[in-house]
Amino acid sequence: MKTLDSIPTGKIERAGKLVKTGVKIGGNYVKYYGKKLVNSESAKEELDQDNAEDIYDGLKSLKGSALKVAQMLSMEKNLLPRAYVEKFSLSQFSVPPLSAPLVRKTFKKYLDKYPEEIFDTFEKDSVNAASIGQVHRAKKDGKELAVKIQYPGVAKSISSDLAIVKPIAIRMFNLKGKDSEKYFKEVENKLVEETNYILELKQSEEITQACADIPNMEFPKYYENLSSERILTMDWMKGRHLSEFAKTEFDQDLGNKLGQALWDFYMFQIHSLRKVHADPHPGNFLVSPKETLIAIDFGCIKQIPDEFYIPYFELAKEGNINNDGIFMEKLYELEILTPTDSKKELEFFKALFKEMLTIFTSPFNEENFDFGADDFWNKIADLSERYSKDEQIKKMNGNRGSKHFLYMNRTFFGLYNLLHDLKATVKVNQFRKYID
């Protein structure tokens, strides 16, 4: 794979890259309108394919928060055309890496030594490259290590990248008014945290120690003396990415075992620690040769305050969803409904969220839940399809819900997708014994 000797870091330079991408997309639409007259269905598929290719190619050279947005979108399997999901999923662990000279320069700047002066061996070619950093194999004192190196300029370009992406997001999600700013600030704050490897090391140690008793979970050890704000060193963990494993013919008992470990890991964090690994994509989990699940990359951790946690999980109870008084009260507490809503808006969003919550919270109201069941996923797909085309939604203000929904919904949507890939049936309340 071609390596990068530099990454655009200036606002004008990065914006220029996206403008070029926009020109390509405009050309794709011109071709689409011509082909549409002959075969509208195949023309739309080709348009999605061409646009996904051009958007991904434009973002991958920018890396950083621009590429992180593509990574987040790739998890929304029921909200995007398949071409986008497949292309954007590459941003999880397959983008052009930094060149060896740029890697050495980064080491010298942040650890004051070149990699060959620190490690017994250091592989100059990265083993995978994602949105914010890339990983190299190394050895020291007989230990195999994974060394994550952050791309230059990523932290400084977050605000300008989001300013470029903001108009697109406002159109995509129908956001209106100054209230939308809280969502962009939440994303910006989380991305800034992800670029702080000292914070990631601290979060990694805290969560992995707390979750050490959960069966069939493994975590790497982290090395503070070999890390800095832009370099993070941990144990090299042997295993296959969960996405690769899920494509194999695996025994369903193993799928259930891994799924149970994943479910317990997430529920324990949410209900005991009140914070959670909020980046549940397949690149952050490995299946080990011992058939255990390995969790890596604790850069994106979402704190869950009581004022959100309590009403959020009260709405997960079937009885509360069907109790009109409690249901309305919680919708206001979670900022889904607002005092300025018209009668029409109240009725519409009440019905929408009742249907949505009934589907998404159904796993919490069962003793055992089968995430591989087609019925569950068909309901999600049908809901997404209907409301993506709803003209009434397009006319209404899309600012709905507390800012904490952004990463909590992302966490659950990602978790559900991983469990679906494993076709796992889980014991819903098993995690409680690890809390007790």
Side-chain angles (χ1 to χ4, degrees):
M1 184 184 288
K2 185 181 177 184
T3 60
L4 299 176
D5 294 315
S6 65
I7 296 171
T9 55
K11 183 176 180 179
I12 294 173
E13 195 179 1
R14 293 176 74 82
K17 283 270 186 186
L18 290 178
V19 168
K20 287 179 184 176
T21 301
V23 171
K24 287 184 180 179
I25 291 169
N28 293 340
Y29 274 98
V30 171
K31 288 190 291 182
Y32 163 66
Y33 292 130
K35 293 176 182 176
K36 186 180 174 185
L37 299 172
V38 182
N39 188 329
S40 59
E41 192 170 324
S42 67
K44 184 64 171 70
E45 287 178 9
E46 285 182 41
L47 174 68
D48 289 339
Q49 191 68 48
D50 290 344
N51 281 350
E53 188 94 28
D54 289 333
I55 292 170
Y56 177 69
D57 286 345
L59 294 178
K60 71 182 180 184
S61 62
L62 294 176
K63 297 187 180 290
S65 45
L67 192 57
K68 193 76 180 178
V69 170
Q71 184 190 87
M72 291 167 75
L73 288 171
S74 74
M75 294 162 60
E76 309 295 325
K77 293 181 182 177
N78 288 297
L79 304 181
L80 286 174
R82 185 173 183 81
Y84 289 88
V85 173
E86 289 177 350
K87 200 69 186 174
F88 288 178
S89 66
L90 293 174
S91 68
Q92 293 170 3
F93 40 77
S94 180
V95 295
L98 299 180
S99 65
L102 197 49
V103 168
R104 295 183 81 250
K105 187 177 176 182
T106 303
F107 263 90
K108 188 66 176 174
K109 182 175 181 179
Y110 291 104
L111 285 176
D112 201 31
K113 290 181 179 179
Y114 292 115
E116 64 270 20
E117 297 175 288
I118 299 170
F119 303 101
D120 298 334
T121 63
F122 181 86
E123 295 184 10
K124 65 181 181 66
D125 296 324
S126 68
V127 289
N128 67 54
S131 51
I132 286 177
Q134 65 186 43
V135 177
H136 292 252
R137 292 182 78 151
K139 281 187 180 179
K140 188 173 179 66
D141 300 330
K143 288 182 180 174
E144 285 191 83
L145 302 170
V147 186
K148 185 163 72 169
I149 303 161
Q150 190 174 127
Y151 304 128
V154 164
K156 290 180 181 177
S157 65
I158 288 171
S159 294
S160 57
D161 277 1
L162 288 180
I164 294 166
V165 171
K166 195 173 183 178
I168 302 165
I170 286 172
R171 285 196 299 272
M172 277 179 71
F173 300 109
N174 195 34
L175 302 176
K176 297 174 186 173
K178 59 180 173 54
D179 287 346
S180 65
E181 192 57 38
K182 67 183 178 184
Y183 304 116
F184 292 105
K185 205 68 194 168
E186 175 80 348
V187 172
E188 183 176 345
N189 290 341
K190 275 281 154 276
L191 289 171
V192 168
E193 286 179 11
E194 285 192 65
T195 63
N196 183 346
Y197 284 179
I198 293 173
L199 175 63
E200 181 175 344
L201 188 144
K202 181 185 172 187
Q203 291 176 158
S204 303
E205 291 181 330
E206 182 185 349
I207 291 180
T208 57
Q209 287 169 19
C211 297
D213 291 335
I214 295 174
N216 302 310
M217 287 296 305
E218 284 192 78
F219 311 99
K221 180 183 175 184
Y222 295 80
Y223 298 91
E224 189 174 357
N225 62 321
L226 300 173
S227 302
S228 72
E229 63 265 39
R230 300 290 183 262
I231 296 170
L232 185 62
T233 302
M234 67 201 85
D235 287 332
W236 178 265
M237 306 298 283
K238 292 184 172 71
R240 282 185 291 178
H241 281 120
L242 188 55
S243 55
E244 295 170 8
F245 171 82
K247 291 173 184 173
T248 65
E249 292 290 327
F250 58 88
D251 181 79
Q252 194 49 55
D253 286 342
L254 174 57
N256 291 342
K257 183 177 87 166
L258 296 171
Q260 188 68 56
L262 188 66
W263 177 261
D264 291 344
F265 172 57
Y266 270 90
M267 293 306 106
F268 178 86
Q269 290 174 82
I270 291 168
H271 295 290
S272 179
L273 306 180
R274 299 289 173 90
K275 60 178 67 174
V276 66
H277 180 295
D279 200 3
H281 68 70
N284 283 341
F285 293 93
L286 305 174
V287 178
S288 79
K290 297 185 293 183
E291 298 184 343
T292 57
L293 194 67
I294 302 166
I296 55 177
D297 197 335
F298 289 82
C300 184
I301 301 298
K302 172 62 186 169
Q303 300 274 349
I304 312 168
D306 281 352
E307 65 266 23
F308 181 80
Y309 172 89
I310 293 168
Y312 187 89
F313 284 100
E314 282 180 346
L315 268 186
K317 298 172 184 174
E318 193 174 10
N320 287 342
I321 292 175
N322 294 319
N323 182 314
D324 201 60
I326 295 175
F327 184 65
M328 291 289 283
E329 179 187 326
K330 300 306 166 191
L331 291 185
Y332 278 109
E333 283 183 44
L334 291 167
E335 303 170 47
I336 291 168
L337 298 180
T338 72
T340 59
D341 285 335
S342 66
K343 185 180 178 183
K344 187 178 180 181
E345 285 175 321
L346 284 176
E347 289 175 357
F348 179 81
F349 284 109
K350 178 186 169 185
L352 167 60
F353 279 92
K354 185 165 188 175
E355 182 177 14
M356 190 183 294
L357 288 165
T358 299
I359 296 169
F360 276 91
T361 63
S362 55
F364 297 102
N365 296 296
E366 303 285 344
E367 190 174 332
N368 300 294
F369 194 83
D370 180 4
F371 283 95
D374 288 338
D375 182 52
F376 179 60
W377 291 96
N378 289 341
K379 285 178 182 176
I380 292 175
D382 176 63
L383 187 71
S384 300
E385 177 76 13
R386 279 190 288 117
Y387 284 107
S388 67
K389 295 176 179 176
D390 194 295
E391 291 301 319
Q392 198 170 352
I393 286 184
K394 292 175 185 176
K395 294 173 186 174
M396 292 182 175
N397 189 347
N399 298 352
R400 293 285 153 183
S402 159
K403 67 178 183 179
H404 302 295
F405 270 113
L406 270 179
Y407 281 90
M408 284 301 290
N409 284 356
R410 179 194 183 198
T411 296
F412 275 107
F413 204 86
L415 173 62
Y416 286 3
N417 271 308
L418 293 179
L419 292 167
H420 181 61
D421 289 344
L422 290 167
K423 302 179 180 64
T425 296
V426 303
K427 296 174 183 175
V428 174
N429 291 304
Q430 179 173 289
F431 73 92
R432 297 194 183 280
K433 64 184 180 184
Y434 309 120
I435 295 176
D436 299 337

